[in-house]
Amino acid sequence: MEHKLKRLKNKLHEVNDLNMVSALLNWDQSTYMPPGGAAARGRQMATIGRLAHEKFTDPEIGKLLDDLRPFEESLPYDSDDASLIRVTRRSYEKSTKIPAKLVSEFSAHRAGAYQAWTKARPNNDFTAIRPNLEKTLDYSRQIADCFPGYDHIADPLIDFSDEGMKADSIRALFAELRQQLVPIVQTITAQEIADGSCLHQSYPTDQQLAFGSAIIKRYGYDFERGRQDMTHHPFMTKFSLGDVRITTRVKEDDLSEALFSTLHEAGHALYEQGINQKFEGTPLAGGASSGVHESQSRLWENLVGRSRGFWAHYYPQLQIAFPEQLSHVPLDTFYRAINRVSRSLIRTDADEVTYNLHVMIRFDLELQLLEGTLAVKDLPEAWHGRYQSDLGLRALDDRDGVLQDVHWFGGWIGGAFQGYTLGNIMSALFFDEALKAHPDIPVQIEQGKFDTLHTWLKENVYQHGSKFTANELIELVSGGPLTIEPYMRYLRTKFGALYSL
Ligand code: ZN
Protein backbone atom coordinates (compact mmCIF):
# COMPACT_ATOMS: atom_id res chain seq x y z
CA MET A 1 0.00 0.00 0.00
CA GLU A 2 2.81 2.40 0.91
CA HIS A 3 4.32 1.75 -2.49
CA LYS A 4 1.01 2.38 -4.27
CA LEU A 5 0.41 5.59 -2.35
CA LYS A 6 3.89 6.79 -3.27
CA ARG A 7 3.24 5.93 -6.90
CA LEU A 8 -0.05 7.88 -6.79
CA LYS A 9 1.65 10.90 -5.22
CA ASN A 10 4.40 10.88 -7.87
CA LYS A 11 1.83 10.87 -10.63
CA LEU A 12 -0.16 13.65 -8.96
CA HIS A 13 2.97 15.76 -8.59
CA GLU A 14 3.53 15.59 -12.34
CA VAL A 15 -0.05 16.68 -13.01
CA ASN A 16 0.39 19.48 -10.51
CA ASP A 17 3.64 20.62 -12.16
CA LEU A 18 1.86 20.94 -15.49
CA ASN A 19 -1.05 22.82 -13.92
CA MET A 20 1.31 25.22 -12.18
CA VAL A 21 3.20 25.84 -15.43
CA SER A 22 -0.13 26.60 -17.02
CA ALA A 23 -0.94 29.05 -14.22
CA LEU A 24 2.41 30.76 -14.75
CA LEU A 25 1.75 31.14 -18.48
CA ASN A 26 -1.65 32.56 -17.64
CA TRP A 27 -0.23 34.99 -15.06
CA ASP A 28 2.33 36.20 -17.59
CA GLN A 29 -0.37 36.62 -20.23
CA SER A 30 -2.39 38.78 -17.83
CA THR A 31 0.51 40.92 -16.62
CA TYR A 32 3.58 41.36 -18.84
CA MET A 33 3.10 39.54 -22.15
CA PRO A 34 3.19 41.81 -25.22
CA PRO A 35 0.11 41.53 -27.48
CA GLY A 36 2.19 39.75 -30.13
CA GLY A 37 2.49 36.73 -27.85
CA ALA A 38 -1.25 36.06 -27.71
CA ALA A 39 -1.71 33.46 -30.45
CA ALA A 40 1.24 31.28 -29.45
CA ARG A 41 0.38 31.60 -25.77
CA GLY A 42 -3.15 30.36 -26.37
CA ARG A 43 -1.71 27.31 -28.14
CA GLN A 44 0.90 26.68 -25.44
CA MET A 45 -1.70 26.79 -22.70
CA ALA A 46 -3.98 24.44 -24.63
CA THR A 47 -1.10 21.97 -25.07
CA ILE A 48 -0.13 22.03 -21.39
CA GLY A 49 -3.79 21.77 -20.38
CA ARG A 50 -4.27 18.73 -22.62
CA LEU A 51 -1.15 17.02 -21.23
CA ALA A 52 -2.28 17.65 -17.65
CA HIS A 53 -5.74 16.26 -18.42
CA GLU A 54 -4.28 13.16 -20.12
CA LYS A 55 -1.93 12.52 -17.22
CA PHE A 56 -4.65 12.96 -14.61
CA THR A 57 -7.21 10.77 -16.38
CA ASP A 58 -4.63 7.99 -16.94
CA PRO A 59 -6.42 4.71 -16.07
CA GLU A 60 -3.47 3.82 -13.85
CA ILE A 61 -4.58 6.57 -11.47
CA GLY A 62 -8.05 5.02 -11.41
CA LYS A 63 -6.52 1.62 -10.70
CA LEU A 64 -4.35 3.01 -7.89
CA LEU A 65 -7.39 4.72 -6.35
CA ASP A 66 -9.33 1.44 -6.46
CA ASP A 67 -6.44 -0.51 -4.96
CA LEU A 68 -6.01 2.06 -2.21
CA ARG A 69 -9.63 1.99 -1.10
CA PRO A 70 -9.16 -0.58 1.72
CA PHE A 71 -6.13 1.38 2.94
CA GLU A 72 -8.16 4.61 2.89
CA GLU A 73 -10.99 2.96 4.82
CA SER A 74 -8.56 1.74 7.47
CA LEU A 75 -7.51 5.33 8.23
CA PRO A 76 -9.36 8.12 10.07
CA TYR A 77 -11.46 10.23 7.67
CA ASP A 78 -9.44 13.38 8.31
CA SER A 79 -5.98 11.79 8.08
CA ASP A 80 -3.77 13.31 5.38
CA ASP A 81 -3.52 10.09 3.36
CA ALA A 82 -7.22 9.20 3.49
CA SER A 83 -8.09 12.78 2.54
CA LEU A 84 -5.65 12.77 -0.35
CA ILE A 85 -7.13 9.55 -1.74
CA ARG A 86 -10.72 10.70 -1.22
CA VAL A 87 -10.25 14.16 -2.73
CA THR A 88 -8.26 12.76 -5.67
CA ARG A 89 -10.95 10.17 -6.34
CA ARG A 90 -13.71 12.78 -6.45
CA SER A 91 -11.80 14.89 -8.87
CA TYR A 92 -10.71 11.87 -10.94
CA GLU A 93 -14.35 10.85 -11.31
CA LYS A 94 -15.28 14.36 -12.39
CA SER A 95 -12.50 14.40 -14.96
CA THR A 96 -13.17 10.97 -16.39
CA LYS A 97 -16.97 11.01 -16.55
CA ILE A 98 -17.11 13.70 -19.22
CA PRO A 99 -16.19 12.12 -22.58
CA ALA A 100 -12.99 13.53 -24.12
CA LYS A 101 -14.92 14.44 -27.27
CA LEU A 102 -17.37 16.57 -25.29
CA VAL A 103 -14.50 18.25 -23.42
CA SER A 104 -12.69 19.25 -26.61
CA GLU A 105 -15.87 20.33 -28.44
CA PHE A 106 -16.88 22.45 -25.50
CA SER A 107 -13.48 24.10 -25.09
CA ALA A 108 -13.45 25.02 -28.77
CA HIS A 109 -16.98 26.41 -28.39
CA ARG A 110 -16.22 28.43 -25.27
CA ALA A 111 -13.17 30.05 -26.89
CA GLY A 112 -15.40 31.16 -29.76
CA ALA A 113 -18.18 32.30 -27.44
CA TYR A 114 -15.72 34.39 -25.42
CA GLN A 115 -14.40 36.05 -28.57
CA ALA A 116 -17.96 36.79 -29.69
CA TRP A 117 -18.78 38.28 -26.28
CA THR A 118 -15.79 40.66 -26.42
CA LYS A 119 -17.46 42.16 -29.53
CA ALA A 120 -21.12 41.76 -28.57
CA ARG A 121 -20.81 43.62 -25.26
CA PRO A 122 -19.37 46.91 -26.61
CA ASN A 123 -21.84 46.70 -29.51
CA ASN A 124 -24.75 46.00 -27.13
CA ASP A 125 -25.70 43.15 -29.43
CA PHE A 126 -27.34 40.27 -27.58
CA THR A 127 -28.79 38.92 -30.84
CA ALA A 128 -25.28 38.34 -32.17
CA ILE A 129 -24.24 36.25 -29.17
CA ARG A 130 -27.57 34.46 -28.69
CA PRO A 131 -26.77 31.38 -30.83
CA ASN A 132 -23.50 30.96 -28.90
CA LEU A 133 -25.30 31.16 -25.59
CA GLU A 134 -27.93 28.66 -26.71
CA LYS A 135 -25.15 26.26 -27.59
CA THR A 136 -23.45 26.91 -24.24
CA LEU A 137 -26.71 26.03 -22.49
CA ASP A 138 -26.93 22.84 -24.50
CA TYR A 139 -23.34 21.89 -23.60
CA SER A 140 -23.97 22.75 -19.95
CA ARG A 141 -26.90 20.33 -19.88
CA GLN A 142 -24.81 17.65 -21.59
CA ILE A 143 -22.04 18.08 -19.02
CA ALA A 144 -24.54 17.85 -16.15
CA ASP A 145 -26.01 14.71 -17.71
CA CYS A 146 -22.61 13.01 -17.48
CA PHE A 147 -23.43 12.77 -13.76
CA PRO A 148 -26.82 11.05 -13.65
CA GLY A 149 -28.73 10.71 -10.40
CA TYR A 150 -28.73 14.41 -9.53
CA ASP A 151 -31.68 16.08 -7.78
CA HIS A 152 -31.38 19.25 -9.83
CA ILE A 153 -29.65 19.56 -13.18
CA ALA A 154 -27.46 22.37 -11.81
CA ASP A 155 -26.11 20.17 -8.99
CA PRO A 156 -23.24 18.58 -10.91
CA LEU A 157 -22.19 22.00 -12.25
CA ILE A 158 -22.35 23.62 -8.80
CA ASP A 159 -20.33 20.70 -7.47
CA PHE A 160 -17.36 21.65 -9.64
CA SER A 161 -16.86 24.92 -7.76
CA ASP A 162 -18.70 24.31 -4.48
CA GLU A 163 -18.36 20.60 -3.83
CA GLY A 164 -21.27 19.07 -1.94
CA MET A 165 -23.55 22.10 -2.28
CA LYS A 166 -26.89 21.60 -4.01
CA ALA A 167 -29.22 23.89 -5.94
CA ASP A 168 -32.14 23.29 -3.58
CA SER A 169 -30.30 24.06 -0.36
CA ILE A 170 -28.59 27.12 -1.87
CA ARG A 171 -31.94 28.30 -3.20
CA ALA A 172 -33.48 28.02 0.26
CA LEU A 173 -30.55 29.84 1.88
CA PHE A 174 -30.68 32.59 -0.74
CA ALA A 175 -34.46 32.97 -0.46
CA GLU A 176 -34.06 33.65 3.25
CA LEU A 177 -31.25 36.12 2.57
CA ARG A 178 -33.17 37.91 -0.15
CA GLN A 179 -36.23 38.22 2.04
CA GLN A 180 -34.19 39.99 4.72
CA LEU A 181 -31.99 42.03 2.36
CA VAL A 182 -34.56 43.60 0.04
CA PRO A 183 -36.28 45.62 2.80
CA ILE A 184 -32.88 46.73 4.18
CA VAL A 185 -31.82 47.92 0.74
CA GLN A 186 -35.12 49.75 0.36
CA THR A 187 -34.76 51.44 3.76
CA ILE A 188 -31.15 52.49 3.16
CA THR A 189 -31.56 53.70 -0.40
CA ALA A 190 -34.55 55.83 0.63
CA GLN A 191 -32.08 57.82 2.77
CA GLU A 192 -29.46 60.28 1.63
CA ILE A 193 -26.60 58.69 -0.32
CA ALA A 194 -23.23 59.18 1.39
CA ASP A 195 -20.78 61.59 -0.20
CA GLY A 196 -18.04 59.57 -1.90
CA SER A 197 -16.21 62.52 -3.47
CA CYS A 198 -13.18 62.29 -1.15
CA LEU A 199 -12.22 59.04 -2.89
CA HIS A 200 -12.34 60.66 -6.30
CA GLN A 201 -9.44 63.08 -6.23
CA SER A 202 -6.03 62.65 -7.80
CA TYR A 203 -4.12 59.85 -6.04
CA PRO A 204 -0.68 59.04 -7.50
CA THR A 205 -0.20 55.38 -8.39
CA ASP A 206 3.04 54.74 -6.48
CA GLN A 207 1.71 56.00 -3.16
CA GLN A 208 -1.49 53.99 -3.60
CA LEU A 209 0.48 50.80 -4.20
CA ALA A 210 2.85 51.45 -1.29
CA PHE A 211 -0.06 52.01 1.08
CA GLY A 212 -1.84 48.80 0.04
CA SER A 213 1.36 46.75 0.29
CA ALA A 214 2.06 48.03 3.80
CA ILE A 215 -1.39 46.90 4.96
CA ILE A 216 -1.26 43.41 3.51
CA LYS A 217 2.19 42.92 4.95
CA ARG A 218 0.64 43.64 8.35
CA TYR A 219 -2.18 41.22 7.51
CA GLY A 220 0.50 38.56 7.18
CA TYR A 221 0.89 38.27 3.41
CA ASP A 222 4.40 36.95 2.94
CA PHE A 223 6.26 38.82 0.17
CA GLU A 224 9.03 36.22 0.37
CA ARG A 225 6.43 33.78 -0.94
CA GLY A 226 4.52 36.13 -3.20
CA ARG A 227 4.50 39.38 -5.13
CA GLN A 228 2.08 41.91 -6.56
CA ASP A 229 1.85 43.03 -10.19
CA MET A 230 -0.49 45.08 -12.32
CA THR A 231 -3.28 43.69 -14.50
CA HIS A 232 -6.67 44.60 -16.02
CA HIS A 233 -8.86 42.31 -13.90
CA PRO A 234 -7.24 41.60 -10.52
CA PHE A 235 -6.77 37.98 -9.48
CA MET A 236 -4.70 35.73 -7.21
CA THR A 237 -2.74 32.81 -8.58
CA LYS A 238 -0.17 30.37 -7.29
CA PHE A 239 2.63 28.28 -8.75
CA SER A 240 3.42 26.49 -5.49
CA LEU A 241 2.69 27.09 -1.82
CA GLY A 242 5.93 29.09 -1.82
CA ASP A 243 4.85 31.37 -4.67
CA VAL A 244 1.36 32.82 -4.27
CA ARG A 245 0.90 35.99 -6.29
CA ILE A 246 -1.65 38.76 -6.41
CA THR A 247 -2.44 41.42 -9.00
CA THR A 248 -4.20 44.75 -8.87
CA ARG A 249 -5.15 47.73 -11.00
CA VAL A 250 -4.90 51.39 -10.08
CA LYS A 251 -7.20 54.26 -10.92
CA GLU A 252 -5.64 57.59 -10.05
CA ASP A 253 -9.08 59.15 -9.69
CA ASP A 254 -10.49 56.39 -7.47
CA LEU A 255 -8.67 55.53 -4.27
CA SER A 256 -10.88 52.54 -3.50
CA GLU A 257 -10.03 50.59 -6.66
CA ALA A 258 -6.45 49.43 -5.95
CA LEU A 259 -6.82 49.55 -2.17
CA PHE A 260 -9.77 47.19 -1.84
CA SER A 261 -8.78 44.92 -4.70
CA THR A 262 -5.41 44.52 -2.96
CA LEU A 263 -7.05 43.63 0.36
CA HIS A 264 -9.40 41.25 -1.47
CA GLU A 265 -6.73 39.38 -3.41
CA ALA A 266 -4.47 39.31 -0.36
CA GLY A 267 -7.29 37.51 1.47
CA HIS A 268 -7.28 34.81 -1.21
CA ALA A 269 -3.48 34.66 -0.98
CA LEU A 270 -3.36 34.41 2.82
CA TYR A 271 -5.54 31.31 2.47
CA GLU A 272 -3.18 29.67 -0.03
CA GLN A 273 -0.03 30.69 1.85
CA GLY A 274 -1.54 29.20 5.00
CA ILE A 275 -2.12 25.72 3.59
CA ASN A 276 -0.16 22.93 5.26
CA GLN A 277 3.22 22.69 3.46
CA LYS A 278 2.96 18.90 3.58
CA PHE A 279 0.23 19.11 0.91
CA GLU A 280 2.54 20.76 -1.64
CA GLY A 281 2.12 19.33 -5.12
CA THR A 282 -1.06 17.36 -4.31
CA PRO A 283 -4.77 18.04 -4.88
CA LEU A 284 -5.04 18.96 -1.18
CA ALA A 285 -2.92 22.10 -1.76
CA GLY A 286 -5.82 24.38 -2.69
CA GLY A 287 -8.90 26.02 -1.20
CA ALA A 288 -11.94 24.01 -0.09
CA SER A 289 -14.38 25.59 -2.55
CA SER A 290 -15.04 28.80 -4.41
CA GLY A 291 -17.32 29.90 -1.55
CA VAL A 292 -14.72 29.30 1.16
CA HIS A 293 -12.07 31.02 -0.94
CA GLU A 294 -14.30 34.01 -1.45
CA SER A 295 -15.07 34.07 2.28
CA GLN A 296 -11.42 34.81 2.95
CA SER A 297 -11.11 37.57 0.37
CA ARG A 298 -14.30 39.19 1.70
CA LEU A 299 -13.27 38.76 5.32
CA TRP A 300 -10.00 40.67 4.84
CA GLU A 301 -11.48 43.16 2.39
CA ASN A 302 -14.79 43.95 4.10
CA LEU A 303 -15.11 42.67 7.64
CA VAL A 304 -11.60 43.86 8.48
CA GLY A 305 -10.66 46.36 5.76
CA ARG A 306 -13.89 48.34 5.65
CA SER A 307 -14.45 48.35 9.41
CA ARG A 308 -14.40 51.45 11.55
CA GLY A 309 -11.80 50.01 13.92
CA PHE A 310 -9.43 49.30 11.05
CA TRP A 311 -9.65 52.88 9.82
CA ALA A 312 -9.36 54.31 13.31
CA HIS A 313 -5.82 52.92 13.04
CA TYR A 314 -5.09 53.42 9.33
CA TYR A 315 -6.83 56.67 8.47
CA PRO A 316 -4.22 58.94 10.12
CA GLN A 317 -1.58 57.08 8.09
CA LEU A 318 -3.62 57.47 4.92
CA GLN A 319 -3.88 61.20 5.62
CA ILE A 320 -0.09 61.38 5.97
CA ALA A 321 0.31 59.54 2.64
CA PHE A 322 -2.17 61.88 0.92
CA PRO A 323 -2.16 65.15 2.90
CA GLU A 324 -3.46 67.41 0.14
CA GLN A 325 -6.33 65.11 -0.63
CA LEU A 326 -7.39 64.01 2.85
CA SER A 327 -6.07 66.22 5.66
CA HIS A 328 -9.34 68.20 5.65
CA VAL A 329 -11.57 65.09 5.33
CA PRO A 330 -12.77 63.72 8.69
CA LEU A 331 -12.53 59.98 9.39
CA ASP A 332 -16.30 59.70 9.52
CA THR A 333 -16.70 61.13 6.00
CA PHE A 334 -14.08 58.74 4.66
CA TYR A 335 -15.63 55.78 6.49
CA ARG A 336 -19.05 56.59 5.06
CA ALA A 337 -17.56 56.98 1.59
CA ILE A 338 -15.98 53.51 1.58
CA ASN A 339 -19.24 52.00 2.88
CA ARG A 340 -21.59 53.93 0.67
CA VAL A 341 -24.71 51.97 -0.26
CA SER A 342 -26.53 52.67 -3.51
CA ARG A 343 -28.59 50.82 -6.05
CA SER A 344 -26.47 50.07 -9.09
CA LEU A 345 -26.59 48.05 -12.26
CA ILE A 346 -23.11 46.56 -12.22
CA ARG A 347 -22.30 43.66 -9.90
CA THR A 348 -18.60 44.36 -9.59
CA ASP A 349 -19.24 47.96 -8.49
CA ALA A 350 -21.85 47.00 -5.90
CA ASP A 351 -21.52 47.66 -2.16
CA GLU A 352 -21.72 45.08 0.62
CA VAL A 353 -25.48 45.44 1.12
CA THR A 354 -26.68 45.26 -2.49
CA TYR A 355 -23.98 42.92 -3.86
CA ASN A 356 -25.79 39.70 -3.02
CA LEU A 357 -28.93 40.77 -4.82
CA HIS A 358 -26.90 40.91 -8.04
CA VAL A 359 -25.55 37.42 -7.42
CA MET A 360 -28.89 35.88 -6.52
CA ILE A 361 -30.48 37.24 -9.69
CA ARG A 362 -27.83 35.46 -11.76
CA PHE A 363 -28.11 32.26 -9.74
CA ASP A 364 -31.89 32.08 -10.20
CA LEU A 365 -31.66 32.82 -13.92
CA GLU A 366 -29.03 30.08 -14.35
CA LEU A 367 -31.31 27.56 -12.69
CA GLN A 368 -34.27 28.59 -14.85
CA LEU A 369 -32.21 28.31 -18.02
CA LEU A 370 -31.00 24.83 -17.07
CA GLU A 371 -34.48 23.72 -16.02
CA GLY A 372 -35.83 24.90 -19.35
CA THR A 373 -38.32 27.29 -17.73
CA LEU A 374 -36.52 30.25 -19.31
CA ALA A 375 -35.42 30.39 -22.95
CA VAL A 376 -32.18 32.15 -23.92
CA LYS A 377 -34.15 34.48 -26.18
CA ASP A 378 -36.14 35.69 -23.15
CA LEU A 379 -33.07 36.11 -20.92
CA PRO A 380 -32.44 39.85 -21.47
CA GLU A 381 -36.03 40.71 -20.50
CA ALA A 382 -35.98 38.33 -17.53
CA TRP A 383 -32.78 40.07 -16.40
CA HIS A 384 -34.37 43.51 -16.58
CA GLY A 385 -37.47 42.24 -14.78
CA ARG A 386 -35.45 40.95 -11.85
CA TYR A 387 -33.37 44.13 -11.57
CA GLN A 388 -36.60 46.09 -11.52
CA SER A 389 -38.15 43.98 -8.77
CA ASP A 390 -35.04 43.42 -6.61
CA LEU A 391 -33.08 46.63 -7.08
CA GLY A 392 -35.67 49.01 -8.49
CA LEU A 393 -33.52 49.74 -11.53
CA ARG A 394 -33.59 48.94 -15.19
CA ALA A 395 -30.49 49.07 -17.41
CA LEU A 396 -30.81 51.14 -20.55
CA ASP A 397 -29.34 48.33 -22.62
CA ASP A 398 -28.01 44.75 -22.47
CA ARG A 399 -24.43 45.97 -22.17
CA ASP A 400 -25.17 46.85 -18.54
CA GLY A 401 -27.70 44.04 -18.37
CA VAL A 402 -27.22 40.43 -19.35
CA LEU A 403 -23.94 41.04 -21.21
CA GLN A 404 -22.04 42.54 -18.25
CA ASP A 405 -20.36 39.43 -16.79
CA VAL A 406 -17.99 37.14 -18.66
CA HIS A 407 -18.99 33.95 -16.77
CA TRP A 408 -21.70 32.58 -19.09
CA PHE A 409 -19.75 33.62 -22.17
CA GLY A 410 -16.40 32.15 -21.17
CA GLY A 411 -17.60 29.02 -19.38
CA TRP A 412 -20.72 26.98 -18.87
CA ILE A 413 -24.07 28.07 -17.42
CA GLY A 414 -24.56 26.83 -13.85
CA GLY A 415 -22.46 27.05 -10.72
CA ALA A 416 -20.69 30.24 -11.75
CA PHE A 417 -22.09 32.76 -9.29
CA GLN A 418 -23.29 31.22 -6.04
CA GLY A 419 -19.75 31.15 -4.61
CA TYR A 420 -19.66 34.94 -4.24
CA THR A 421 -22.68 35.08 -1.97
CA LEU A 422 -21.85 31.85 -0.16
CA GLY A 423 -18.48 33.51 0.47
CA ASN A 424 -20.11 36.58 2.01
CA ILE A 425 -22.28 34.42 4.24
CA MET A 426 -19.32 32.28 5.29
CA SER A 427 -17.03 35.27 5.87
CA ALA A 428 -19.24 36.44 8.74
CA LEU A 429 -19.61 32.91 10.09
CA PHE A 430 -15.83 32.37 10.26
CA PHE A 431 -15.22 35.84 11.66
CA ASP A 432 -17.86 35.22 14.31
CA GLU A 433 -16.17 31.99 15.38
CA ALA A 434 -12.79 33.75 15.53
CA LEU A 435 -14.33 36.42 17.78
CA LYS A 436 -15.86 33.79 20.05
CA ALA A 437 -12.40 32.28 20.52
CA HIS A 438 -10.67 35.69 20.82
CA PRO A 439 -13.03 38.51 21.83
CA ASP A 440 -10.11 40.96 21.76
CA ILE A 441 -9.69 40.75 17.96
CA PRO A 442 -11.62 44.02 17.31
CA VAL A 443 -9.38 45.87 19.79
CA GLN A 444 -6.30 44.43 18.07
CA ILE A 445 -7.61 45.53 14.68
CA GLU A 446 -7.92 49.07 16.07
CA GLN A 447 -4.21 48.84 16.86
CA GLY A 448 -3.35 47.56 13.39
CA LYS A 449 -2.63 44.08 14.74
CA PHE A 450 -3.93 41.06 12.84
CA ASP A 451 -1.83 38.16 14.20
CA THR A 452 -4.51 36.61 16.40
CA LEU A 453 -7.11 36.63 13.63
CA HIS A 454 -4.63 35.40 11.03
CA THR A 455 -3.38 32.61 13.29
CA TRP A 456 -6.93 31.52 14.11
CA LEU A 457 -7.80 31.38 10.42
CA LYS A 458 -4.63 29.43 9.65
CA GLU A 459 -5.38 26.86 12.33
CA ASN A 460 -9.09 26.52 11.67
CA VAL A 461 -9.43 27.09 7.93
CA TYR A 462 -6.24 27.59 5.91
CA GLN A 463 -4.07 24.69 7.00
CA HIS A 464 -6.67 22.12 5.90
CA GLY A 465 -6.42 23.08 2.22
CA SER A 466 -9.07 21.11 0.38
CA LYS A 467 -9.13 18.24 2.86
CA PHE A 468 -12.72 19.06 3.83
CA THR A 469 -15.66 20.22 1.74
CA ALA A 470 -17.15 23.61 2.60
CA ASN A 471 -19.99 21.99 4.55
CA GLU A 472 -17.59 19.76 6.48
CA LEU A 473 -15.34 22.70 7.29
CA ILE A 474 -18.24 24.83 8.51
CA GLU A 475 -19.50 21.99 10.67
CA LEU A 476 -16.00 21.53 12.07
CA VAL A 477 -15.50 25.22 12.81
CA SER A 478 -18.97 26.23 14.01
CA GLY A 479 -20.51 22.92 15.07
CA GLY A 480 -23.51 23.43 12.79
CA PRO A 481 -24.59 23.96 9.18
CA LEU A 482 -24.17 27.13 7.14
CA THR A 483 -26.56 29.82 8.31
CA ILE A 484 -27.13 33.44 7.33
CA GLU A 485 -27.52 34.60 10.95
CA PRO A 486 -23.95 35.86 11.58
CA TYR A 487 -23.93 37.59 8.20
CA MET A 488 -27.25 39.37 8.70
CA ARG A 489 -26.21 40.34 12.22
CA TYR A 490 -22.99 41.79 10.81
CA LEU A 491 -24.82 43.78 8.12
CA ARG A 492 -27.48 45.06 10.52
CA THR A 493 -24.93 46.14 13.12
CA LYS A 494 -22.57 47.81 10.70
CA PHE A 495 -25.11 49.50 8.45
CA GLY A 496 -27.48 50.17 11.33
CA ALA A 497 -24.76 52.49 12.68
CA LEU A 498 -24.46 54.25 9.31
CA TYR A 499 -28.13 54.49 8.39
CA SER A 500 -31.34 54.27 10.33
CA LEU A 501 -32.67 50.77 9.75
ZN1 ZN B 1 -12.40 36.91 -5.00
Side-chain angles (χ1 to χ4, degrees):
M1 283 301 171
E2 288 298 323
H3 172 73
K4 285 189 171 160
L5 185 63
K6 193 153 182 263
R7 174 93 185 128
L8 177 69
K9 282 184 183 167
N10 286 341
K11 291 186 82 73
L12 293 174
H13 279 143
E14 286 183 358
V15 175
N16 179 72
D17 286 344
L18 289 169
N19 285 333
M20 295 299 108
V21 167
S22 201
L24 178 56
L25 292 179
N26 189 51
W27 170 85
D28 175 67
Q29 182 178 42
S30 311
T31 50
Y32 295 107
M33 188 186 80
R41 183 55 52 89
R43 205 179 52 236
Q44 291 153 358
M45 283 166 44
T47 303
I48 302 278
R50 184 170 46 77
L51 290 175
H53 183 76
E54 280 170 15
K55 272 200 176 291
F56 186 57
T57 53
D58 178 352
E60 198 199 332
I61 292 198
K63 176 84 174 45
L64 286 166
L65 290 167
D66 284 342
D67 294 349
L68 284 163
R69 201 184 278 273
F71 174 65
E72 176 195 354
E73 283 165 359
S74 74
L75 298 169
Y77 183 84
D78 63 351
S79 74
D80 292 351
D81 287 343
S83 300
L84 175 70
I85 298 165
R86 179 179 69 247
V87 168
T88 304
R89 181 180 297 109
R90 281 202 296 247
S91 121
Y92 179 79
E93 283 173 0
K94 277 181 191 158
S95 301
T96 50
K97 275 189 179 166
I98 308 172
K101 186 164 170 284
L102 179 55
V103 173
S104 66
E105 274 179 29
F106 178 64
S107 35
H109 166 72
R110 72 196 276 181
Y114 174 76
Q115 281 307 320
W117 174 75
T118 59
K119 292 188 186 71
R121 189 177 182 215
N123 293 335
N124 184 36
D125 194 351
F126 180 77
T127 315
I129 191 108
R130 195 181 121 190
N132 275 298
L133 202 56
E134 282 167 345
K135 239 178 153 175
T136 300
L137 180 59
D138 185 48
Y139 277 122
S140 307
R141 290 207 184 102
Q142 288 185 50
I143 291 165
D145 284 333
C146 297
F147 304 87
Y150 51 70
D151 297 326
H152 189 285
I153 185 165
D155 288 352
L157 304 170
I158 291 170
D159 206 71
F160 274 93
S161 46
D162 290 286
E163 176 117 41
M165 299 270 180
K166 299 222 186 298
D168 282 349
S169 52
I170 298 174
R171 192 146 43 181
L173 196 73
F174 284 7
E176 210 188 330
L177 183 64
R178 183 163 174 263
Q179 203 190 7
Q180 298 196 32
L181 269 181
V182 170
I184 295 180
V185 169
Q186 281 166 351
T187 310
I188 291 180
T189 52
Q191 297 167 47
E192 201 189 332
I193 298 181
D195 175 13
S197 61
C198 64
L199 303 173
H200 300 281
Q201 306 177 67
S202 177
Y203 291 97
T205 298
D206 289 351
Q207 277 118 293
Q208 284 199 48
L209 290 173
F211 193 78
S213 297
I215 296 175
I216 62 174
K217 219 171 184 171
R218 294 284 295 183
Y219 273 3
Y221 177 69
D222 182 356
F223 277 94
E224 293 295 309
R225 296 192 294 139
R227 52 178 286 133
Q228 185 181 45
D229 295 271
M230 307 295 275
T231 190
H232 289 296
H233 299 282
F235 62 95
M236 182 277 310
T237 186
K238 74 155 189 282
F239 315 132
S240 71
L241 293 177
D243 190 352
V244 182
R245 303 190 188 184
I246 56 174
T247 56
T248 189
R249 66 177 163 199
V250 179
K251 288 185 184 162
E252 295 214 321
D253 63 351
D254 183 356
L255 182 64
S256 56
E257 181 71 35
L259 178 58
F260 292 108
S261 94
T262 297
L263 304 190
H264 181 99
E265 300 309 331
H268 283 300
L270 287 169
Y271 189 1
E272 296 281 344
Q273 286 188 338
I275 292 171
N276 191 334
Q277 295 288 329
K278 279 193 290 185
F279 299 163
E280 178 76 281
T282 77
L284 295 181
S289 71
S290 76
V292 177
H293 232 301
E294 205 58 23
S295 78
Q296 294 314 302
S297 55
R298 306 280 162 150
L299 188 152
W300 290 103
E301 177 195 351
N302 293 333
L303 282 84
V304 178
R306 284 183 209 264
S307 70
R308 194 179 273 279
F310 177 91
W311 286 105
H313 176 78
Y314 274 109
Y315 192 60
Q317 297 183 28
L318 189 69
Q319 286 179 308
I320 291 169
F322 301 105
E324 269 171 53
Q325 297 88 334
L326 294 174
S327 57
H328 62 287
V329 178
L331 168 60
D332 191 62
T333 306
F334 174 80
Y335 178 66
R336 283 172 188 275
I338 59 168
N339 287 297
R340 184 172 184 259
V341 178
S342 65
R343 299 170 194 267
S344 64
L345 290 164
I346 309 294
R347 175 184 62 87
T348 52
D349 295 341
D351 53 79
E352 277 187 87
V353 183
T354 57
Y355 185 87
N356 299 299
L357 296 178
H358 293 262
V359 172
M360 293 187 280
I361 289 171
R362 288 152 176 78
F363 179 74
D364 288 344
L365 293 174
E366 278 190 336
L367 296 194
Q368 290 169 23
L369 287 167
L370 287 163
E371 287 162 2
T373 50
L374 174 66
V376 169
K377 73 173 170 48
D378 300 323
L379 181 61
E381 214 28 65
W383 181 286
H384 292 311
R386 277 297 298 272
Y387 265 78
Q388 190 70 59
S389 67
D390 286 17
L391 283 146
L393 287 175
R394 189 189 164 95
L396 293 173
D397 55 24
D398 293 328
R399 195 175 4 213
D400 288 342
V402 70
L403 293 174
Q404 72 176 261
D405 289 313
V406 64
H407 306 56
W408 292 336
F409 306 99
W412 58 54
I413 295 172
F417 287 103
Q418 76 287 329
Y420 298 115
T421 285
L422 290 173
N424 281 328
I425 299 171
M426 292 176 194
S427 68
L429 183 139
F430 288 129
F431 194 63
D432 218 42
E433 292 300 325
L435 294 190
K436 280 182 203 163
H438 303 282
D440 56 332
I441 284 176
V443 176
Q444 296 187 9
I445 291 175
E446 282 172 27
Q447 297 162 348
K449 291 180 188 156
F450 309 100
D451 295 3
T452 308
L453 176 60
H454 185 207
T455 304
W456 186 91
L457 288 166
K458 263 196 283 194
E459 280 168 8
N460 292 279
V461 181
Y462 302 170
Q463 62 148 329
H464 300 306
S466 53
K467 195 184 244 194
F468 303 112
T469 65
N471 286 327
E472 288 168 349
L473 188 63
I474 287 160
E475 182 76 38
L476 190 72
V477 171
S478 72
L482 181 60
T483 138
I484 65 166
E485 298 318 318
Y487 183 56
M488 287 314 302
R489 202 162 52 236
Y490 159 71
L491 286 182
R492 282 183 210 279
T493 308
K494 175 172 178 178
F495 292 93
L498 285 164
Y499 298 90
S500 58
L501 290 184

